[in-house]
Amino acid sequence: MEAPLNFGTPSPSPSTFSLSPPDLCDDINTPDTQRSLLFDDDVAEDPLDIAGGNSRFIMVVGGLGYIGSHTVLELLKANYNVLVIDDLSNSYESVLHRITTLASEHFIVQGRPMPALHFRQLDYRSPCMRSILASYSSYTVDNRVNRVDKMRSYPYSTLTRNDSGIDMEVDDQQERTLTRQSRISGVIHFAAYKSVEESIRMPLKYYSNNVCGLVDFLSLLEEFGIKNFVFSSSATVYGEGANCGVPLREELCVHHHESFMDEDGTERHAIPGVLGLTSPYGRSKFMCESILADIARSDPSWKITALRYFNPVGCHESGILGEDPRQKPSNLIPVIATVLTGTKPHLDIFGTDWNTPDGTAVRDFIHVVDLARGHIAALAASISGKIQAPFRTYNLGTGRGHTVREVLSTLEETSQRQIPAREVGRRAGDVGFCVAEVKRAEAELAWKAEKSLKDCSIDVWNFTKGRCPPQMPEKSGC
């Protein structure tokens, strides 16, 4: 069940988290047998209205993972109440405590109460999600007066004597209507599987969770009237187009016909589709974007934003919150971290024959805090109506590329340690160059990445150094 998290700062909405095992629907939402939603007066109270009143929440599915946890922290700092859904399949509940520690410290300094933070351990595909959404809904009973003409209601009334004393005049009848309003004002989706390599070995796992899971989840959100949706997409949707050697703009991957202005001010027309998707993971993201685009086109009341990540790196500057997956890491920085901590003997550099300055792949490495703030910007722009289209894609990157060797060198310089590395062949599904064109996000979301690769290295080392073995006496470092 739930226990309060005490932060030492008064809050009108105490943060809570669940210690119950996943998929226990009865524990999550027990029907109130003492109260009738249809016949009690005015407002049907929610027995699990933990926050009190009608507080609004942002629901973050997959909110304890690497990007999700940093986004939850930034949401709290931006004064949003947050509901986290995570099955802990690739994360730890201790991440929740790290988030609350950092958030409470922030609000103590600010002299303000911390927003509510709720957690449910649950797979977003679970049938219990319906109970969760119901518990975050407000119910109002409307009393409407319908004037009923008995002469029309009873067609044989003309056969009745007028002096019988039966009232044949128009009568008033009350009709009670139950209206449900969700207190979840927006959803951020981080619940997809994300390993390119694993998706090639286990494609059905990726299509089941990433695509089929999303379809069912969207149907459930629509049922509850929740239509403000931020989707974590990926630069993998650009496929082989990433190897063109120039920054990738959003129009290279569209789902319906679009017109845009190129660098010379000439109007161009983008046709739906993309060139050469390289993995089931990338295909699953493209499919999900297509589904979202089709939904938005059929029902413009949806507000859907797809954020195409490039390569998230870094950690929170405190060194408390970072990338610590439960499963085998596949991203460059956490793999380097396993080498620094001695868990892995060396870093494998996949491919040294790419058409790049040093032969290793070029990536657009964006600090995870910048990425998290990009979600806040997208959410705010959607809620405020600044994004006019019901479906819109944005690249989240820096617009600058760095090779794998540059990243390795920067981390060696920051840690003052040599990081063993070996060169191996190209990895299936990889591309040689992947850098974002970021003008659309800068113009429409008023967002721009601020942190450098050096900032990323310093923060990663702060997060990692406590787990590193002692340095040999003849070598300098921590």
Side-chain angles (χ1 to χ4, degrees):
M1 297 303 290
E2 297 185 349
L5 295 175
N6 297 319
F7 307 108
T9 303
S11 171
S13 304
S15 299
T16 61
F17 67 99
S18 172
L19 295 177
S20 59
D23 296 340
L24 297 181
C25 296
D26 291 340
D27 289 342
I28 291 171
N29 190 34
T30 303
D32 187 348
T33 57
Q34 304 303 314
R35 188 174 180 86
S36 165
L37 293 180
L38 292 177
F39 301 106
D40 287 330
D41 292 336
D42 298 328
V43 178
E45 294 178 357
D46 174 10
L48 286 183
D49 186 4
I50 304 164
N54 291 312
S55 303
R56 309 289 283 175
F57 281 78
I58 301 300
M59 182 167 71
V60 183
V61 291
L64 295 186
Y66 174 45
I67 303 171
S69 60
H70 287 82
T71 301
V72 168
L73 177 58
E74 294 301 317
L75 282 167
L76 291 170
K77 290 166 65 176
N79 215 37
Y80 290 95
N81 297 316
V82 183
L83 166 62
V84 174
I85 305 293
D86 200 299
D87 65 356
L88 302 182
S89 62
N90 197 32
S91 58
Y92 299 91
E93 192 167 321
S94 60
V95 173
L96 184 71
H97 299 282
R98 297 176 191 178
I99 294 170
T100 55
T101 296
L102 293 169
S104 60
E105 290 176 355
H106 171 82
F107 283 97
I108 288 171
V109 172
Q110 294 286 319
R112 296 186 288 125
M114 177 179 156
L117 174 59
H118 297 175
F119 170 56
R120 300 290 189 275
Q121 183 180 340
L122 200 66
D123 188 318
Y124 88 114
R125 297 170 292 174
S126 168
C128 295
M129 281 300 300
R130 183 180 303 279
S131 298
I132 295 293
L133 295 185
S135 71
Y136 283 83
S137 297
S138 299
Y139 298 87
T140 305
V141 177
D142 297 326
N143 294 322
R144 298 178 181 177
V145 177
N146 291 334
R147 300 190 64 82
V148 180
D149 188 340
K150 287 188 176 181
M151 294 293 289
R152 294 180 181 178
S153 300
Y154 306 101
Y156 300 106
S157 58
T158 53
L159 301 178
T160 305
R161 290 176 52 187
N162 290 332
D163 62 349
S164 64
I166 298 175
D167 183 9
M168 305 302 295
E169 300 299 323
V170 174
D171 193 14
D172 292 345
Q173 288 187 356
Q174 277 196 342
E175 180 181 291
R176 288 193 154 186
T177 303
L178 181 66
T179 302
R180 179 172 62 194
Q181 177 69 42
S182 179
R183 294 192 285 125
I184 296 172
S185 56
V187 175
I188 303 179
H189 180 287
F190 292 111
Y193 298 143
K194 64 175 185 176
S195 169
V196 169
E197 181 184 11
E198 184 186 52
S199 77
I200 294 172
R201 291 187 287 107
M202 307 173 68
L204 288 180
K205 175 182 178 180
Y206 277 69
Y207 293 132
S208 176
N209 180 75
N210 294 11
V211 182
C212 300
L214 177 69
V215 170
D216 291 340
F217 186 51
L218 290 169
S219 298
L220 186 61
L221 294 181
E222 186 172 50
E223 180 182 329
F224 281 83
I226 304 169
K227 295 186 175 182
N228 188 9
F229 192 78
V230 178
F231 177 68
S232 59
S233 191
S234 166
T236 57
V237 299
Y238 292 114
E240 291 288 353
N243 284 319
C244 63
V246 297
L248 300 165
R249 57 186 300 162
E250 290 86 351
E251 291 86 1
L252 291 175
C253 175
V254 300
H255 305 281
H256 298 115
H257 289 277
E258 289 186 18
S259 298
F260 65 98
M261 306 299 290
D262 66 12
E263 298 293 338
D264 300 325
T266 304
E267 184 178 19
R268 303 287 185 184
H269 300 279
I271 60 174
V274 69
L275 173 67
L277 294 168
T278 60
S279 70
Y281 167 69
R283 276 187 281 277
S284 76
K285 288 296 186 181
F286 178 80
M287 291 176 187
C288 289
E289 280 197 12
S290 296
I291 291 166
L292 293 168
D294 289 343
I295 290 171
R297 193 173 200 184
S298 68
D299 180 3
S301 67
W302 280 87
K303 296 179 179 179
I304 301 174
T305 309
L307 303 178
R308 294 170 176 171
Y309 308 162
F310 280 68
N311 286 75
V313 293
C315 307
H316 189 270
E317 61 184 2
S318 65
I320 295 175
L321 191 63
E323 186 167 12
D324 187 21
R326 187 185 292 269
Q327 299 174 13
K328 178 183 176 182
S330 57
N331 293 336
L332 177 61
I333 295 296
V335 171
I336 293 177
T338 62
V339 178
L340 283 167
T341 59
T343 306
K344 186 178 173 69
H346 51 257
L347 169 71
D348 288 332
I349 299 177
F350 295 100
T352 56
D353 59 346
W354 299 102
N355 185 23
T356 62
D358 62 19
T360 62
V362 170
R363 294 289 183 270
D364 188 333
F365 295 98
I366 176 174
H367 197 290
V368 67
V369 173
D370 281 332
L371 184 60
R373 290 171 180 167
H375 289 78
I376 314 302
L379 191 67
S382 179
I383 291 174
S384 66
K386 291 182 180 178
I387 302 176
Q388 297 297 317
F391 174 80
R392 191 72 165 157
T393 61
Y394 296 94
N395 290 336
L396 293 188
T398 66
R400 299 181 301 275
H402 297 280
T403 67
V404 172
R405 289 195 190 279
E406 285 182 86
V407 175
L408 182 62
S409 175
T410 303
L411 271 168
E412 286 183 328
E413 180 183 345
T414 301
S415 65
Q416 292 296 293
R417 296 192 176 204
Q418 184 177 0
I419 301 172
R422 68 174 184 177
E423 299 176 356
V424 296
R426 295 184 182 185
R427 185 170 50 182
D430 272 352
V431 294
F433 182 93
C434 193
V435 177
E437 171 60 73
V438 294
K439 291 180 181 178
R440 178 184 288 187
E442 291 177 2
E444 298 182 16
L445 303 182
W447 170 90
K448 184 177 182 179
E450 298 176 354
K451 296 179 179 288
S452 66
L453 181 60
K454 182 65 175 177
D455 295 327
C456 297
S457 321
I458 292 171
D459 294 340
V460 167
W461 180 237
N462 285 339
F463 181 71
T464 307
K465 62 185 178 183
R467 294 174 287 158
C468 294
Q471 188 72 286
M472 297 300 292
E474 64 271 15
K475 296 182 180 180
S476 60
C478 176

